[in-house]
Amino acid sequence: MFPQRSFVVVFFLVAAVLPFGRRLEAGSRPVAEFRALASYDGGVVERVRARAAARMDDPECGKLLTDFRDRGGRTLEANLQPLGVSPSQYLLQLSFLDGSSLPACRTPAVIMTVTPGVPRVFVCPAGGGRLNARLSQIEFESGFLAEAMMIHEMLHTLGLGENPPSTFEITERVRQRCR
């Protein structure tokens, strides 16, 4: 068994390397290759993520991790503790990738998508001939909403499912706690 810190380092090294190559699941079925974000979209993610991480340093905003539970009934804080990082550090370490090949991103209302419990966020493209991710438009219209959405997705990576609570309930709670 790895010591706790070693596990975190190995986990993030593996998470960083795996998205950049063709992988095989059980049964040798190919898995889609995940692409890094385009330069502009990566810049948008970094700006929004830095501001969202600063919000997560506020104790009131940090209460989100005890407000919500995963499907097994564990708080998101309990899911974060074994990693040995603060919520803001965790957010800053998450992988954000191009989600243009994902079916969920074909729905125009989807800005980012996550599999609950998986520390990887897919950013959806704008579509309609526009080159930039939908997140860039949200940031332009409301930086605070973009930050709330980023924190919302972080909560999913820690195991939070949806329905219940609805996507709107999650984002509204983030907005209330992280003003």
Side-chain angles (χ1 to χ4, degrees), residues 74-91:
R74 292 172 42 97
T75 66
L76 304 183
E77 182 178 63
N79 293 343
L80 178 64
Q81 283 177 342
L83 301 177
V85 295
S86 71
S88 62
Q89 291 168 327
Y90 177 77
L91 178 56

